[in-house]
């Protein structure tokens, strides 16, 4: 693997899932692979899981780790080509990416969308600029439109817990007080199209994701109908894609309860707002996989870093 910007960078998804499960059973088997190699983890936004699990994954492979919160600790970065830098930004991405590439062997990056400018967000300027000006592989730790490490984690978790060959998986929108990105549902939907599951999406009207991403995936506006006979229920809030970044509904009847999901397993990428997205009764029950899911973040990242180091 040359980079992990999005799910298209995966050569063989089933093999990568199996590799992650293998690494989970023997995390230190490749401790020599990353010897004298470094990863630079650069954050423009908050993180708990991505930061710690990717760090742990790199550590398991014997790598050295450098972490930097670029927004608060670095110089203000300029991304526009040819700009006269007489305002807020102090350093151009051309120098920054080239310099960082001399210190590390892999750059991992988190940069959320503005949610105000759809065109700009979809250009993925930050991660694409790093890809362009860095001379080392770039790993996406959640960009404006994609969270491929999370999606790989989700596929691993479904593989581990499925009880039938082709389980029914439902992605459901759920209410949230703040406008959230589309990265997690985008990547989850794409991943579900790559593995053998019976997949549908449910959300209130007006919450359609990018149709280029949802493709032929069935969209059901009636949540209860969508949830019928589900094996896995994946909850996530996102803001409107059509009316970009807007909150069109906070309808609390979309919150997940045990009564709604019946015997299905519950998944969420975390962090989750309790009794907003999902009731305590689910998160505190054995049906919730969120903790096991978060554990798999380590092995998803480790499988990806291993392939990058081997390449
Ligand atoms: C972020 C999101 O929805 O993209 C990160 C999730 C992994 N969530 C929040 O901002 C709450
Ligand atoms: N799921 C996830 O990416 O969590 P963090 O935002 O805490 O990294």
């Amino acid at each position: 693997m040359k980079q992990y910007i999005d799910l298209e960078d995966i050569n063989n998804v089933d093999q990568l899932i199996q590799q992650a499960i293998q690494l989970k059973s023997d995390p230190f088997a490749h401790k020599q692979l990353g010897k004298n190699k470094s990863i630079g983890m650069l954050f423009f936004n908050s993180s708990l899981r991505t930061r710690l699990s990717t760090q742990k994954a790199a550590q398991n492979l014997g790598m050295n780790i450098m972490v930097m919160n670029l927004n608060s600790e670095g110089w203000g970065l300029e991304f526009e080509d040819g700009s006269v830098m007489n305002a807020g930004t102090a350093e151009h991405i051309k120098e920054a990416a080239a310099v960082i590439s001399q210190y590390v062997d892999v750059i991992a990056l988190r940069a959320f969308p503005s949610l105000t400018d759809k065109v700009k967000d979809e250009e993925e300027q930050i991660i694409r600029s790093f890809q362009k000006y860095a001379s080392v592989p770039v790993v996406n730790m959640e960009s404006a439109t994609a969270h491929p490490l999370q999606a790989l984690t989700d596929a691993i978790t479904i593989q581990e817990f499925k009880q039938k060959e082709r389980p029914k998986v439902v992605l459901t929108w759920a209410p949230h007080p703040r406008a959230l990105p589309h990265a997690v549902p985008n990547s989850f939907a794409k991943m579900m199209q790559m593995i053998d599951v019976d997949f549908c999406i449910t959300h209130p009207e007006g919450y359609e994701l990018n149709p280029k991403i949802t493709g032929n995936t069935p969209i059901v506006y009636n949540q209860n109908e969508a949830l019928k006979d589900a094996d896995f229920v994946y909850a996530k809030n996102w803001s409107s894609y059509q009316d970009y970044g807007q909150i069109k509904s906070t309808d609390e009847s979309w919150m997940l309860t045990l009564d709604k999901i019946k015997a299905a397993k519950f998944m969420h990428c975390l962090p989750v707002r309790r009794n907003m997205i999902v009731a305590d009764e689910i998160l505190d029950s054995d049906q919730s996989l969120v903790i096991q899911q978060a554990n798999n973040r380590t092995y998803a990242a480790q499988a990806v870093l291993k392939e990058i180091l081997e390449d």
Side-chain angles (χ1 to χ4, degrees), residues 46-50 110 147 150 269-271 297:
S46 309
S47 171
L48 186 155
R49 279 142 291 274
T50 305
R110 168 165 282 202
H147 197 356
Q150 182 65 51
C269 62
L270 302 183
R297 289 296 307 271

Side-chain angles (χ1 to χ4, degrees), residues 46 49-50 110 112-113 141-144 147 150 176 178-185 236-238 268-273 297:
S46 309
R49 279 142 291 274
T50 305
R110 168 165 282 202
F112 287 177
M141 297 196 295
E142 189 173 341
S143 64
H147 197 356
Q150 182 65 51
H176 193 282
R178 292 178 58 187
L180 294 189
H182 308 98
V184 170
K236 181 74 184 87
N237 172 269
W238 59 88
H268 189 280
C269 62
L270 302 183
V272 72
R273 294 207 181 210
R297 289 296 307 271

Side-chain angles (χ1 to χ4, degrees), residues 99 119 125 127 159 226 254 258 263 265 296 298:
V99 167
V119 173
Q125 189 183 47
I127 199 158
Q159 176 62 30
W254 279 76
L258 271 179
K265 297 288 189 196
N296 283 336
T298 298

Side-chain angles (χ1 to χ4, degrees), residues 103-218:
Y103 303 147
V104 302
D105 301 281
V106 178
I107 291 175
L109 204 63
R110 168 165 282 202
F112 287 177
S114 65
L115 291 181
T116 54
D117 186 336
K118 186 189 227 169
V119 173
K120 220 161 173 193
D121 285 348
E122 294 198 327
E123 283 171 5
E124 290 280 17
Q125 189 183 47
I126 297 185
I127 199 158
R128 292 295 168 197
S129 303
F130 270 93
Q131 181 191 23
K132 185 168 176 189
Y133 296 116
S135 55
V136 298
V138 174
V139 172
N140 185 346
M141 297 196 295
E142 189 173 341
S143 64
T145 67
H147 197 356
L149 283 173
Q150 182 65 51
L152 178 56
T153 300
D154 302 335
I156 296 163
T157 309
I158 289 170
Q159 176 62 30
E160 282 181 327
F161 285 92
K162 72 177 184 183
Q163 286 179 351
K164 54 171 86 118
E165 199 46 43
R166 194 163 186 276
K168 177 172 174 182
V169 179
V170 182
L171 168 63
T172 176
W173 179 92
H176 193 282
R178 292 178 58 187
L180 294 189
H182 308 98
V184 170
N186 281 349
S187 291
F188 185 73
K190 272 168 82 167
M191 179 55 94
M192 291 306 107
Q193 294 160 6
M194 290 164 70
I195 63 173
D196 191 19
V197 290
D198 171 13
F199 179 52
C200 73
I201 303 176
T202 180
H203 54 68
E205 288 190 49
Y207 271 99
E208 287 75 10
L209 291 162
N210 183 348
K212 286 194 190 118
I213 290 176
T214 51
N216 294 327
T217 298

